[in-house]
Amino acid sequence: MVTAESRLREGGSAEVTDALVRAGGGASAEVASLRAESVAGVEAGVPSRLGCRPFWTAAMELSAEYLREKLQRDLEAEHVEVEDTTPNRCASSFRVLVVSAKFEGKPLLQRHRLVNTCLAEELLHIHAFEQKTLTPEQWARERQK
């Protein structure tokens, strides 16, 4: 069966957008246009205005190991854990634990700003980011629990 999306993959554009509007069953032209753009973008590996990136581009650009190494190097961290929590591979999500002496004497907001500054470029491509920042002393106490 030939669909609007398959025609788009083969190089259609305005014709496909019109087909998507008709197939949208009450969807506005703007929504259909975004759908067409999204399909085209996914095929090309480009993020759409809907914010969905194909999983292979996110995986190539951002990995848990890459983030772990960067945090460890830039924050001189003694311990870093990075968990990829991406549920459906549409947009990347990560949870991190960073233990660094650079956090000594700093309130939580300043610690998070240090992490955010370290990963400024990467955060542009991350949909959800959860972080826990501890000093070495806090980390030692937490491990004893």
Short mmCIF file of all heavy atoms in Angstrom, two decimals, residues 1-63:
data_model
loop_
_atom_site.label_atom_id
_atom_site.label_comp_id
_atom_site.label_asym_id
_atom_site.label_seq_id
_atom_site.Cartn_x
_atom_site.Cartn_y
_atom_site.Cartn_z
N MET A 1 0.84 -1.18 0.00
CA MET A 1 0.00 0.00 0.00
C MET A 1 0.89 1.24 0.00
O MET A 1 1.82 1.36 0.79
CB MET A 1 -0.88 -0.02 1.24
CG MET A 1 -1.81 1.16 1.31
SD MET A 1 -3.08 0.84 2.54
CE MET A 1 -2.86 2.22 3.58
N VAL A 2 0.62 2.16 -0.88
CA VAL A 2 1.39 3.39 -0.97
C VAL A 2 0.75 4.41 -0.03
O VAL A 2 -0.43 4.73 -0.15
CB VAL A 2 1.41 3.93 -2.42
CG1 VAL A 2 2.15 5.24 -2.48
CG2 VAL A 2 2.04 2.91 -3.35
N THR A 3 1.54 4.92 0.91
CA THR A 3 1.04 5.92 1.85
C THR A 3 1.71 7.25 1.56
O THR A 3 2.70 7.33 0.82
CB THR A 3 1.36 5.51 3.29
OG1 THR A 3 2.79 5.51 3.45
CG2 THR A 3 0.78 4.15 3.63
N ALA A 4 1.19 8.28 2.20
CA ALA A 4 1.80 9.61 2.05
C ALA A 4 3.24 9.58 2.55
O ALA A 4 4.12 10.18 1.95
CB ALA A 4 0.99 10.65 2.82
N GLU A 5 3.46 8.86 3.65
CA GLU A 5 4.82 8.78 4.19
C GLU A 5 5.77 8.09 3.22
O GLU A 5 6.90 8.52 3.04
CB GLU A 5 4.83 8.05 5.55
CG GLU A 5 4.27 8.88 6.69
CD GLU A 5 2.75 8.78 6.81
OE1 GLU A 5 2.11 8.13 5.97
OE2 GLU A 5 2.21 9.37 7.76
N SER A 6 5.31 7.01 2.57
CA SER A 6 6.20 6.32 1.63
C SER A 6 6.48 7.20 0.42
O SER A 6 7.58 7.19 -0.11
CB SER A 6 5.61 4.97 1.21
OG SER A 6 4.42 5.14 0.47
N ARG A 7 5.47 7.98 -0.02
CA ARG A 7 5.72 8.91 -1.14
C ARG A 7 6.71 9.99 -0.72
O ARG A 7 7.53 10.42 -1.52
CB ARG A 7 4.41 9.55 -1.61
CG ARG A 7 3.66 8.63 -2.56
CD ARG A 7 2.45 9.32 -3.15
NE ARG A 7 1.32 8.81 -2.39
CZ ARG A 7 0.25 9.50 -2.07
NH1 ARG A 7 0.14 10.74 -2.46
NH2 ARG A 7 -0.72 8.97 -1.38
N LEU A 8 6.63 10.41 0.54
CA LEU A 8 7.56 11.42 1.02
C LEU A 8 8.99 10.89 0.99
O LEU A 8 9.91 11.58 0.60
CB LEU A 8 7.19 11.85 2.44
CG LEU A 8 8.04 12.95 3.06
CD1 LEU A 8 7.95 14.20 2.21
CD2 LEU A 8 7.57 13.25 4.47
N ARG A 9 9.16 9.63 1.37
CA ARG A 9 10.49 9.03 1.34
C ARG A 9 11.04 8.99 -0.08
O ARG A 9 12.23 9.03 -0.28
CB ARG A 9 10.43 7.61 1.91
CG ARG A 9 10.28 7.57 3.38
CD ARG A 9 10.38 6.14 3.91
NE ARG A 9 9.72 6.09 5.20
CZ ARG A 9 8.57 5.48 5.43
NH1 ARG A 9 7.96 4.80 4.49
NH2 ARG A 9 8.03 5.51 6.63
N GLU A 10 10.16 8.90 -1.05
CA GLU A 10 10.59 8.83 -2.44
C GLU A 10 10.77 10.20 -3.06
O GLU A 10 11.06 10.33 -4.23
CB GLU A 10 9.57 8.03 -3.25
CG GLU A 10 9.48 6.59 -2.80
CD GLU A 10 8.29 5.87 -3.41
OE1 GLU A 10 7.62 6.44 -4.29
OE2 GLU A 10 8.03 4.75 -3.00
N GLY A 11 10.58 11.26 -2.26
CA GLY A 11 10.90 12.59 -2.76
C GLY A 11 9.72 13.52 -2.93
O GLY A 11 9.89 14.62 -3.41
N GLY A 12 8.51 13.14 -2.54
CA GLY A 12 7.37 14.04 -2.64
C GLY A 12 7.49 15.15 -1.63
O GLY A 12 8.26 15.10 -0.71
N SER A 13 6.67 16.22 -1.79
CA SER A 13 6.73 17.30 -0.81
C SER A 13 5.36 17.92 -0.62
O SER A 13 4.60 17.48 0.22
CB SER A 13 7.75 18.34 -1.22
OG SER A 13 7.44 18.84 -2.50
N ALA A 14 5.01 18.93 -1.41
CA ALA A 14 3.73 19.61 -1.25
C ALA A 14 2.57 18.64 -1.48
O ALA A 14 1.58 18.66 -0.76
CB ALA A 14 3.64 20.78 -2.22
N GLU A 15 2.71 17.78 -2.47
CA GLU A 15 1.68 16.78 -2.76
C GLU A 15 1.46 15.87 -1.55
O GLU A 15 0.34 15.54 -1.18
CB GLU A 15 2.10 15.96 -3.99
CG GLU A 15 1.24 14.75 -4.27
CD GLU A 15 1.86 13.88 -5.34
OE1 GLU A 15 2.74 14.33 -6.09
OE2 GLU A 15 1.45 12.71 -5.42
N VAL A 16 2.56 15.48 -0.92
CA VAL A 16 2.48 14.61 0.24
C VAL A 16 1.84 15.34 1.42
O VAL A 16 1.02 14.79 2.14
CB VAL A 16 3.87 14.07 0.62
CG1 VAL A 16 3.81 13.30 1.91
CG2 VAL A 16 4.39 13.20 -0.51
N THR A 17 2.20 16.60 1.61
CA THR A 17 1.60 17.38 2.69
C THR A 17 0.09 17.45 2.51
O THR A 17 -0.67 17.27 3.46
CB THR A 17 2.20 18.80 2.74
OG1 THR A 17 3.60 18.69 2.96
CG2 THR A 17 1.57 19.62 3.85
N ASP A 18 -0.34 17.68 1.28
CA ASP A 18 -1.79 17.70 1.00
C ASP A 18 -2.42 16.36 1.32
O ASP A 18 -3.50 16.29 1.90
CB ASP A 18 -2.05 18.07 -0.46
CG ASP A 18 -1.67 19.52 -0.77
OD1 ASP A 18 -1.58 20.32 0.20
OD2 ASP A 18 -1.46 19.83 -1.94
N ALA A 19 -1.75 15.28 0.95
CA ALA A 19 -2.27 13.94 1.23
C ALA A 19 -2.35 13.71 2.74
O ALA A 19 -3.30 13.11 3.24
CB ALA A 19 -1.40 12.88 0.58
N LEU A 20 -1.35 14.20 3.47
CA LEU A 20 -1.37 14.04 4.91
C LEU A 20 -2.50 14.85 5.54
O LEU A 20 -3.12 14.42 6.51
CB LEU A 20 -0.03 14.47 5.52
CG LEU A 20 1.11 13.47 5.36
CD1 LEU A 20 2.42 14.10 5.80
CD2 LEU A 20 0.84 12.21 6.13
N VAL A 21 -2.78 16.02 5.00
CA VAL A 21 -3.90 16.83 5.51
C VAL A 21 -5.19 16.06 5.31
O VAL A 21 -6.02 15.95 6.22
CB VAL A 21 -3.96 18.20 4.81
CG1 VAL A 21 -5.25 18.92 5.15
CG2 VAL A 21 -2.76 19.04 5.20
N ARG A 22 -5.39 15.50 4.11
CA ARG A 22 -6.61 14.74 3.84
C ARG A 22 -6.69 13.50 4.72
O ARG A 22 -7.73 13.16 5.25
CB ARG A 22 -6.67 14.36 2.36
CG ARG A 22 -6.99 15.54 1.45
CD ARG A 22 -7.29 15.08 0.04
NE ARG A 22 -6.20 14.32 -0.57
CZ ARG A 22 -5.15 14.88 -1.18
NH1 ARG A 22 -5.04 16.19 -1.25
NH2 ARG A 22 -4.22 14.13 -1.73
N ALA A 23 -5.57 12.82 4.93
CA ALA A 23 -5.56 11.59 5.71
C ALA A 23 -5.63 11.87 7.20
O ALA A 23 -5.94 10.98 7.98
CB ALA A 23 -4.29 10.79 5.41
N GLY A 24 -5.36 13.12 7.59
CA GLY A 24 -5.31 13.46 9.01
C GLY A 24 -6.65 13.41 9.70
O GLY A 24 -6.72 13.47 10.92
N GLY A 25 -7.74 13.31 8.97
CA GLY A 25 -9.05 13.20 9.58
C GLY A 25 -9.35 14.34 10.52
O GLY A 25 -9.56 14.14 11.70
N GLY A 26 -9.37 15.56 10.01
CA GLY A 26 -9.71 16.70 10.85
C GLY A 26 -8.48 17.42 11.38
O GLY A 26 -8.61 18.43 12.04
N ALA A 27 -7.30 16.90 11.14
CA ALA A 27 -6.10 17.58 11.60
C ALA A 27 -5.89 18.83 10.77
O ALA A 27 -6.22 18.87 9.59
CB ALA A 27 -4.88 16.66 11.46
N SER A 28 -5.36 19.85 11.38
CA SER A 28 -5.14 21.11 10.67
C SER A 28 -3.99 20.96 9.67
O SER A 28 -3.19 20.05 9.75
CB SER A 28 -4.79 22.22 11.66
OG SER A 28 -3.51 22.00 12.21
N ALA A 29 -3.93 21.88 8.74
CA ALA A 29 -2.85 21.87 7.75
C ALA A 29 -1.50 22.02 8.43
O ALA A 29 -0.51 21.43 8.01
CB ALA A 29 -3.07 22.99 6.73
N GLU A 30 -1.46 22.81 9.50
CA GLU A 30 -0.20 23.01 10.21
C GLU A 30 0.30 21.71 10.83
O GLU A 30 1.47 21.37 10.75
CB GLU A 30 -0.38 24.06 11.31
CG GLU A 30 0.89 24.37 12.07
CD GLU A 30 0.66 25.42 13.15
OE1 GLU A 30 -0.42 25.98 13.24
OE2 GLU A 30 1.63 25.64 13.90
N VAL A 31 -0.60 20.95 11.45
CA VAL A 31 -0.23 19.67 12.04
C VAL A 31 0.25 18.71 10.96
O VAL A 31 1.26 18.03 11.11
CB VAL A 31 -1.40 19.07 12.85
CG1 VAL A 31 -1.10 17.64 13.25
CG2 VAL A 31 -1.71 19.93 14.06
N ALA A 32 -0.47 18.65 9.87
CA ALA A 32 -0.07 17.76 8.78
C ALA A 32 1.28 18.16 8.21
O ALA A 32 2.11 17.31 7.88
CB ALA A 32 -1.13 17.78 7.68
N SER A 33 1.52 19.47 8.11
CA SER A 33 2.81 19.94 7.62
C SER A 33 3.93 19.51 8.57
O SER A 33 5.00 19.08 8.13
CB SER A 33 2.78 21.46 7.50
OG SER A 33 4.05 21.94 7.15
N LEU A 34 3.66 19.61 9.88
CA LEU A 34 4.66 19.16 10.85
C LEU A 34 4.91 17.66 10.75
O LEU A 34 6.03 17.20 10.86
CB LEU A 34 4.22 19.50 12.27
CG LEU A 34 4.42 20.95 12.70
CD1 LEU A 34 3.78 21.19 14.06
CD2 LEU A 34 5.88 21.31 12.73
N ARG A 35 3.83 16.91 10.50
CA ARG A 35 3.99 15.45 10.33
C ARG A 35 4.87 15.16 9.13
O ARG A 35 5.78 14.33 9.20
CB ARG A 35 2.63 14.79 10.13
CG ARG A 35 1.82 14.66 11.37
CD ARG A 35 0.52 13.94 11.06
NE ARG A 35 -0.38 14.00 12.18
CZ ARG A 35 -1.68 14.00 12.08
NH1 ARG A 35 -2.27 13.92 10.90
NH2 ARG A 35 -2.43 14.06 13.15
N ALA A 36 4.60 15.83 8.03
CA ALA A 36 5.39 15.61 6.81
C ALA A 36 6.84 15.99 7.05
O ALA A 36 7.76 15.27 6.66
CB ALA A 36 4.81 16.41 5.65
N GLU A 37 7.04 17.12 7.71
CA GLU A 37 8.40 17.58 7.99
C GLU A 37 9.11 16.58 8.91
O GLU A 37 10.28 16.28 8.73
CB GLU A 37 8.34 18.94 8.68
CG GLU A 37 9.68 19.49 9.08
CD GLU A 37 9.55 20.78 9.87
OE1 GLU A 37 8.67 21.59 9.56
OE2 GLU A 37 10.34 20.94 10.80
N SER A 38 8.39 16.06 9.87
CA SER A 38 8.97 15.10 10.80
C SER A 38 9.41 13.84 10.09
O SER A 38 10.49 13.32 10.31
CB SER A 38 7.96 14.77 11.91
OG SER A 38 8.53 13.87 12.82
N VAL A 39 8.55 13.32 9.20
CA VAL A 39 8.90 12.12 8.45
C VAL A 39 10.12 12.37 7.59
O VAL A 39 11.05 11.58 7.56
CB VAL A 39 7.70 11.64 7.60
CG1 VAL A 39 8.11 10.52 6.65
CG2 VAL A 39 6.56 11.17 8.50
N ALA A 40 10.14 13.52 6.91
CA ALA A 40 11.28 13.85 6.06
C ALA A 40 12.55 14.00 6.91
O ALA A 40 13.62 13.53 6.54
CB ALA A 40 11.02 15.14 5.29
N GLY A 41 12.41 14.65 8.06
CA GLY A 41 13.56 14.85 8.94
C GLY A 41 14.11 13.55 9.48
O GLY A 41 15.31 13.35 9.55
N VAL A 42 13.23 12.65 9.86
CA VAL A 42 13.66 11.37 10.37
C VAL A 42 14.43 10.61 9.30
O VAL A 42 15.46 10.02 9.55
CB VAL A 42 12.46 10.54 10.91
CG1 VAL A 42 12.87 9.09 11.15
CG2 VAL A 42 11.94 11.16 12.19
N GLU A 43 13.91 10.67 8.08
CA GLU A 43 14.62 10.01 6.98
C GLU A 43 16.01 10.60 6.79
O GLU A 43 16.95 9.89 6.50
CB GLU A 43 13.81 10.16 5.67
CG GLU A 43 12.57 9.32 5.64
CD GLU A 43 12.88 7.83 5.70
OE1 GLU A 43 13.76 7.39 4.95
OE2 GLU A 43 12.23 7.13 6.48
N ALA A 44 16.13 11.92 6.97
CA ALA A 44 17.42 12.58 6.76
C ALA A 44 18.28 12.61 8.02
O ALA A 44 19.41 13.05 7.99
CB ALA A 44 17.18 14.01 6.26
N GLY A 45 17.72 12.19 9.16
CA GLY A 45 18.48 12.22 10.41
C GLY A 45 18.54 13.59 11.04
O GLY A 45 19.44 13.91 11.79
N VAL A 46 17.54 14.44 10.75
CA VAL A 46 17.51 15.80 11.24
C VAL A 46 16.34 15.95 12.23
O VAL A 46 15.27 15.43 11.98
CB VAL A 46 17.29 16.78 10.06
CG1 VAL A 46 17.16 18.21 10.54
CG2 VAL A 46 18.42 16.65 9.06
N PRO A 47 16.54 16.68 13.34
CA PRO A 47 15.43 16.86 14.26
C PRO A 47 14.35 17.74 13.64
O PRO A 47 14.64 18.64 12.87
CB PRO A 47 16.06 17.56 15.46
CG PRO A 47 17.32 18.16 14.97
CD PRO A 47 17.76 17.33 13.80
N SER A 48 13.09 17.46 13.96
CA SER A 48 11.99 18.27 13.44
C SER A 48 11.58 19.30 14.47
O SER A 48 12.07 19.31 15.59
CB SER A 48 10.80 17.36 13.13
OG SER A 48 10.17 16.97 14.33
N ARG A 49 10.63 20.16 14.08
CA ARG A 49 10.10 21.13 15.03
C ARG A 49 9.32 20.42 16.12
O ARG A 49 9.03 21.00 17.15
CB ARG A 49 9.22 22.15 14.31
CG ARG A 49 10.02 23.07 13.42
CD ARG A 49 9.18 24.16 12.87
NE ARG A 49 8.20 23.61 11.93
CZ ARG A 49 7.18 24.30 11.45
NH1 ARG A 49 6.98 25.53 11.79
NH2 ARG A 49 6.34 23.74 10.60
N LEU A 50 8.98 19.17 15.92
CA LEU A 50 8.30 18.40 16.97
C LEU A 50 9.29 17.95 18.03
O LEU A 50 8.91 17.47 19.08
CB LEU A 50 7.61 17.17 16.36
CG LEU A 50 6.46 17.46 15.41
CD1 LEU A 50 5.96 16.17 14.80
CD2 LEU A 50 5.34 18.17 16.13
N GLY A 51 10.58 18.08 17.75
CA GLY A 51 11.61 17.75 18.71
C GLY A 51 12.03 16.29 18.72
O GLY A 51 12.82 15.88 19.54
N CYS A 52 11.52 15.50 17.81
CA CYS A 52 11.84 14.08 17.80
C CYS A 52 13.05 13.84 16.90
O CYS A 52 13.06 14.24 15.74
CB CYS A 52 10.65 13.28 17.30
SG CYS A 52 10.89 11.52 17.43
N ARG A 53 14.06 13.21 17.46
CA ARG A 53 15.26 12.87 16.69
C ARG A 53 15.28 11.37 16.49
O ARG A 53 14.92 10.63 17.37
CB ARG A 53 16.52 13.28 17.46
CG ARG A 53 16.61 14.75 17.74
CD ARG A 53 17.79 15.01 18.65
NE ARG A 53 19.02 14.57 18.04
CZ ARG A 53 19.81 15.35 17.31
NH1 ARG A 53 19.50 16.58 17.10
NH2 ARG A 53 20.93 14.87 16.79
N PRO A 54 15.70 10.91 15.35
CA PRO A 54 15.81 9.46 15.16
C PRO A 54 16.82 8.89 16.15
O PRO A 54 17.82 9.51 16.46
CB PRO A 54 16.28 9.31 13.72
CG PRO A 54 16.71 10.66 13.28
CD PRO A 54 16.11 11.67 14.20
N PHE A 55 16.55 7.67 16.64
CA PHE A 55 17.38 7.11 17.69
C PHE A 55 18.82 6.95 17.27
O PHE A 55 19.72 7.08 18.08
CB PHE A 55 16.81 5.76 18.17
CG PHE A 55 17.01 4.64 17.20
CD1 PHE A 55 18.14 3.85 17.26
CD2 PHE A 55 16.07 4.37 16.22
CE1 PHE A 55 18.32 2.82 16.37
CE2 PHE A 55 16.25 3.34 15.32
CZ PHE A 55 17.39 2.56 15.39
N TRP A 56 19.09 6.71 15.97
CA TRP A 56 20.48 6.47 15.58
C TRP A 56 21.31 7.73 15.66
O TRP A 56 22.48 7.67 15.95
CB TRP A 56 20.55 5.84 14.19
CG TRP A 56 20.00 6.70 13.10
CD1 TRP A 56 20.66 7.64 12.38
CD2 TRP A 56 18.66 6.71 12.61
NE1 TRP A 56 19.82 8.24 11.48
CE2 TRP A 56 18.59 7.69 11.58
CE3 TRP A 56 17.52 6.01 12.93
CZ2 TRP A 56 17.42 7.97 10.90
CZ3 TRP A 56 16.36 6.29 12.24
CH2 TRP A 56 16.32 7.25 11.24
N THR A 57 20.74 8.92 15.45
CA THR A 57 21.55 10.14 15.57
C THR A 57 21.82 10.46 17.02
O THR A 57 22.90 10.84 17.38
CB THR A 57 20.89 11.35 14.89
OG1 THR A 57 19.63 11.59 15.49
CG2 THR A 57 20.76 11.15 13.41
N ALA A 58 20.81 10.28 17.89
CA ALA A 58 21.01 10.54 19.31
C ALA A 58 22.04 9.57 19.88
O ALA A 58 22.88 9.95 20.68
CB ALA A 58 19.69 10.42 20.06
N ALA A 59 21.97 8.33 19.47
CA ALA A 59 22.89 7.32 19.98
C ALA A 59 24.32 7.61 19.53
O ALA A 59 25.26 7.39 20.28
CB ALA A 59 22.46 5.93 19.52
N MET A 60 24.49 8.10 18.31
CA MET A 60 25.83 8.38 17.82
C MET A 60 26.42 9.60 18.52
O MET A 60 27.59 9.63 18.81
CB MET A 60 25.82 8.61 16.31
CG MET A 60 25.63 7.33 15.53
SD MET A 60 25.88 7.52 13.77
CE MET A 60 24.67 8.75 13.33
N GLU A 61 25.61 10.60 18.78
CA GLU A 61 26.11 11.83 19.37
C GLU A 61 26.31 11.72 20.86
O GLU A 61 27.27 12.23 21.41
CB GLU A 61 25.14 12.98 19.08
CG GLU A 61 25.06 13.33 17.63
CD GLU A 61 23.96 14.33 17.36
OE1 GLU A 61 23.40 14.89 18.31
OE2 GLU A 61 23.66 14.54 16.18
N LEU A 62 25.38 11.09 21.54
CA LEU A 62 25.41 11.05 22.99
C LEU A 62 25.34 9.62 23.49
O LEU A 62 24.43 8.88 23.13
CB LEU A 62 24.21 11.81 23.56
CG LEU A 62 24.17 13.31 23.28
CD1 LEU A 62 22.85 13.89 23.73
CD2 LEU A 62 25.33 13.99 23.98
N SER A 63 26.28 9.27 24.30
CA SER A 63 26.24 7.96 24.93
C SER A 63 26.52 8.18 26.41
O SER A 63 27.12 9.17 26.82
CB SER A 63 27.28 7.02 24.33
OG SER A 63 28.58 7.44 24.70
#
